[in-house]
Amino acid sequence: MKNYLYSIFEKASAKLPYLNDVKIAFDIPKNEDFGDYSSNAAMLLTKTQKRNPREIANEIISNLDYSSDVISKIEIAGPGFINFYFTTQYVTEIITSILEENENYGRTKTNEGKKANVEFVSANPTGPLTVGHGRNAVLGDTVATMLEWTGYKVDREFYFNNAGNQMRKLGRSVKLRYLQILGDNIDFPVDKEHYQGEYIKDIAQELYNEFGDTLRDEPELGKFKEKAEKVIFADIENTLKVLNINHDIFYNEKRLYDEGKIDSLLKTFKEKNLTYEQDGALWLKLSEMGRDMNKVIIKSTGEPTYRLPDTAYHIVKIQKGYDLIVDVFGSDHIEEYKDVVAGLESLGYKTEHIKVILYQFVTIKVGNEIQKMSTRKANYEKLEDLEKEVGKDVVRYFFNMRSSGTHMVFDIELAKKQTDENPVFYLQYAHARISSIIREAEKVELKFSRKNLNLLVAKEEQQLLKKLSKFKEEIENATETLEPHKICTYLEETAAAFHKFYTFCRVIGVDQNLSEARLALVTATRIILKNGLTILGLSAPERM
């Protein structure tokens, strides 16, 4: 529908060039009495045209070349809104497209021939994935799928660092637990320099079972670190697989050093006079790049800060020729990523195609109690345990259903409910109910037909049809803004429209022609629900 409106406005701009002076937008009125779509274009043009908006609206309407088979009427409302009403005949035609394209309905070629890289999870192998990592994982994987549905060829990438201070802490923690197993009288420190989780004890026990007491003099960064990294990374991959998340590329930060990427970057910064030394540290002149203040990129200890390797890593991705680069970061990275972008731009790289999704963190709610999480202190909620508690579908949906920029409280009791209060149950039940209707129709040898779709004129039928017609538009909009929660909202509204239709419109046991038309409508609805759930990574059960 919206695309049709854009097309007639584009044609009208040849007669009314001033239409190119504003960004034409079409919104769905909250009150359906005001049409299917509404535009405020006339009011936006008042200032430049120096005319009454209603006068401008009349002029626009008189220059719109549209078919009466598509638009039944156009009205001016209020100070100058232009409201569009589509014919029932045009609205019902969406069923034909949905039934013909079936599981491919919603896919477009908008970005065909383009390549995208989505980097997500990117957790260092220092401990099990937490629910915080889970939000990152689900967001990244869903965005990657959305991009694929609009034509992108997508690489899912996992960036990690298995060197540096965190890994030294990991190796040290495992060794201390190993020495405790050997019987050494050691008090395990409860501080930021050691990992506290039970998984550290488990890894130490595995080492003891394999090597006995022969590792007493082994260095922390030897077998202790190596074993821990191997076990933890395997656990990370297994946890992600349960959520049907698989990465195409695993990029180790160590490669940046081994391949000379870091040295090359430092040399370039120096040649451009963008770094200086102070207090034994190396600073980047970010204040000359439009940022508020300069930042350290190599500490006085010789350890790099996040900004240095991440800038080098993004150069690698840029040089691969991606049309779109998406990073999924926790909200605590907001300043760092801006520094990285500034650094890239100072070196002459274009960054418009780098998009960052910043997500707020997650807390777990059990009853009225909120659980705080910390990987190092081991009072975290493991993503693996959450999956076992509420199931893959619920985990994926709950992490997708809120805007990434909002803090999320994961309500365990709500997640486990088998009622309409739980949006996952609500959506999957709608799909299962339609599947049941189709099975009942088969029993009485009723088949859907597109011959009499013009009979679908009831208010509930038209409301459901209009909701179905917006599926492609919703996918493209959500993909453009990288916001999966918009698809969740759309699906919930579609399920609500179906349930309302089902309450007032019988499918079986009415006039044959009407039954066949309504069966076509519910079949199309099932396709939309299934395709939407597929994009989100959820199953679409036929029985519940």
Side-chain angles (χ1 to χ4, degrees):
M1 291 182 183
K2 187 181 285 189
N3 287 338
Y4 183 82
L5 295 178
Y6 278 122
S7 68
I8 62 175
F9 265 71
E10 185 177 354
K11 290 179 182 176
S13 65
K15 306 176 200 174
L16 306 173
Y18 61 70
L19 288 176
N20 295 314
D21 296 339
V22 294
K23 185 176 181 180
I24 305 295
F26 303 99
D27 298 310
I28 301 172
K30 292 182 179 179
N31 186 336
E32 61 185 38
D33 291 338
F34 295 138
D36 299 307
Y37 281 99
S38 180
S39 176
N40 65 345
M43 291 181 287
L44 294 177
L45 289 162
T46 300
K47 188 174 181 179
T48 57
Q49 291 298 300
K50 298 180 180 178
R51 288 188 287 161
N52 182 287
R54 290 183 67 92
E55 179 186 339
I56 298 172
N58 268 311
E59 184 174 65
I60 291 173
I61 293 172
S62 64
N63 283 278
L64 292 177
D65 182 14
Y66 63 91
S67 169
S68 59
D69 291 333
V70 177
I71 296 178
S72 60
K73 64 179 178 177
I74 304 175
E75 292 182 344
I76 301 173
F81 289 101
I82 305 175
N83 296 336
F84 300 87
Y85 300 77
F86 286 87
T87 65
T88 56
Q89 174 188 342
Y90 179 72
V91 171
T92 55
E93 285 178 3
I94 192 64
I95 292 178
T96 298
S97 298
I98 295 171
L99 294 177
E100 287 178 352
E101 296 182 42
N102 204 336
E103 70 271 9
N104 289 317
Y105 187 80
R107 291 185 182 274
T108 64
K109 296 182 179 180
T110 306
N111 297 302
E112 190 174 34
K114 295 180 180 180
K115 296 190 304 177
N117 177 290
V118 182
E119 182 218 325
F120 60 107
V121 185
S122 297
N124 293 335
T126 58
L129 294 181
T130 67
V131 294
H133 293 126
R135 190 175 197 187
N136 184 314
V138 170
L139 278 171
D141 188 59
T142 306
V143 165
T145 301
M146 288 159 50
L147 292 170
E148 289 170 336
W149 273 64
T150 62
Y152 275 105
K153 182 184 181 304
V154 181
D155 284 333
R156 291 165 167 82
E157 187 155 344
F158 191 123
Y159 173 76
F160 67 100
N161 179 15
N162 64 349
N165 193 43
Q166 287 189 22
M167 300 306 290
R168 283 193 292 272
K169 293 177 183 178
L170 180 65
R172 185 186 314 133
S173 301
V174 174
K175 182 170 184 178
L176 288 178
R177 290 302 190 190
Y178 171 80
L179 293 175
Q180 285 182 331
I181 293 172
L182 294 186
D184 291 12
N185 187 17
I186 295 175
D187 290 327
F188 194 88
V190 182
D191 56 29
K192 293 182 179 180
E193 300 303 311
H194 297 82
Y195 290 96
Q196 309 293 321
E198 288 295 316
Y199 68 99
I200 299 294
K201 296 179 182 179
D202 294 338
I203 295 169
Q205 187 64 52
E206 285 189 40
L207 283 166
Y208 176 75
N209 294 343
E210 186 175 353
F211 296 100
D213 62 358
T214 63
L215 301 181
R216 181 179 292 278
D217 297 323
E218 179 76 11
E220 297 168 353
L221 291 178
K223 287 186 170 57
F224 295 106
K225 176 256 186 186
E226 292 168 5
K227 180 69 172 180
E229 177 189 344
K230 182 179 179 180
V231 170
I232 292 170
F233 216 99
D235 180 70
I236 288 173
E237 289 189 272
N238 289 335
T239 301
L240 292 175
K241 284 179 181 177
V242 173
L243 289 171
N244 289 340
I245 295 175
N246 297 281
H247 287 83
D248 304 298
I249 301 170
F250 289 87
Y251 194 99
N252 188 342
E253 183 179 310
K254 187 173 180 291
R255 285 180 58 186
L256 298 171
Y257 295 89
D258 293 344
E259 296 173 4
K261 306 293 186 186
I262 298 295
D263 288 340
S264 177
L265 177 58
L266 287 171
K267 181 181 178 182
T268 304
F269 275 145
K270 185 176 182 179
E271 289 173 348
K272 290 180 173 289
N273 193 30
L274 292 173
T275 55
Y276 64 94
E277 292 185 17
Q278 181 178 309
D279 300 327
L282 188 67
W283 295 68
L284 187 62
K285 296 180 181 178
L286 286 162
S287 60
E288 296 183 11
M289 306 174 194
R291 301 290 289 138
D292 293 338
M293 63 180 72
N294 300 333
K295 301 287 177 62
V296 172
I297 55 174
I298 298 182
K299 300 176 184 178
S300 57
T301 59
E303 184 182 356
T305 64
Y306 165 88
R307 295 167 181 83
L308 179 61
D310 213 64
T311 302
Y313 170 54
H314 277 79
I315 291 173
V316 171
K317 289 199 284 189
I318 290 171
Q319 291 176 340
K320 288 182 178 179
Y322 289 109
D323 298 284
L324 176 66
I325 295 172
V326 180
D327 297 323
V328 185
F329 293 147
S331 58
D332 57 337
H333 281 68
I334 187 168
E335 294 302 320
E336 286 90 342
Y337 99 78
K338 291 179 180 178
D339 292 343
V340 169
V341 170
L344 292 169
E345 291 174 348
S346 73
L347 299 177
Y349 291 102
K350 293 182 178 180
T351 61
E352 295 85 359
H353 63 311
I354 299 176
K355 306 297 180 184
V356 176
I357 300 173
L358 290 171
Y359 66 93
Q360 292 290 336
F361 294 100
V362 183
T363 52
I364 296 291
K365 180 182 177 184
V366 182
N368 295 317
E369 184 180 346
I370 298 293
Q371 297 183 4
K372 294 183 179 180
M373 292 172 290
S374 167
T375 306
R376 185 173 288 111
K377 293 181 180 178
N379 57 342
Y380 54 83
E381 179 70 40
K382 288 171 61 178
L383 178 58
E384 179 185 15
D385 293 339
L386 185 64
E387 292 168 348
K388 292 176 181 177
E389 184 76 10
V390 301
K392 170 187 75 73
D393 285 351
V394 172
V395 170
R396 288 198 64 122
Y397 193 86
F398 272 47
F399 282 146
N400 273 322
M401 71 180 181
R402 298 283 181 263
S403 168
S404 60
T406 60
H407 178 77
M408 181 180 184
V409 177
F410 198 111
D411 189 332
I412 296 294
E413 290 187 1
L414 174 62
K416 295 170 73 172
K417 283 186 176 180
Q418 297 291 302
T419 68
D420 288 352
E421 293 177 74
N422 182 340
V424 182
F425 178 86
Y426 186 67
L427 290 179
Q428 292 182 325
Y429 181 66
H431 184 273
R433 173 175 272 182
I434 295 174
S435 298
S436 176
I437 293 171
I438 293 173
R439 288 194 298 272
E440 290 301 313
E442 290 173 349
K443 290 179 181 178
V444 296
E445 298 184 350
L446 177 67
K447 297 181 179 180
F448 69 74
S449 172
R450 290 172 280 179
K451 293 180 181 178
N452 297 294
L453 296 180
N454 61 312
L455 296 175
L456 301 175
V457 296
K459 179 180 179 181
E460 294 77 18
E461 293 166 334
Q462 284 290 302
Q463 287 175 335
L464 179 55
L465 280 162
K466 289 174 182 178
K467 185 58 65 176
L468 299 185
S469 72
K470 294 176 175 60
F471 184 55
K472 284 187 179 181
E473 176 187 318
E474 292 288 348
I475 293 174
E476 293 214 346
N477 181 35
T479 304
E480 183 179 348
T481 59
L482 304 178
E483 295 179 300
H485 74 274
K486 291 181 177 179
I487 295 179
C488 295
T489 301
Y490 167 79
L491 290 177
E492 290 176 33
E493 291 174 352
T494 301
F498 164 72
H499 287 305
K500 185 176 180 181
F501 157 84
Y502 184 75
T503 300
F504 293 98
C505 302
R506 292 177 60 189
V507 177
I508 301 172
V510 293
D511 173 77
Q512 178 81 7
N513 291 332
L514 181 58
S515 280
E516 291 174 351
R518 285 179 174 173
L519 188 58
L521 173 57
V522 299
T523 302
T525 304
R526 183 170 74 161
I527 290 170
I528 293 296
L529 289 174
K530 183 174 183 178
N531 290 358
L533 290 168
T534 297
I535 292 171
L536 296 174
L538 276 69
S539 62
E542 297 192 359
R543 287 180 169 84
M544 289 180 69

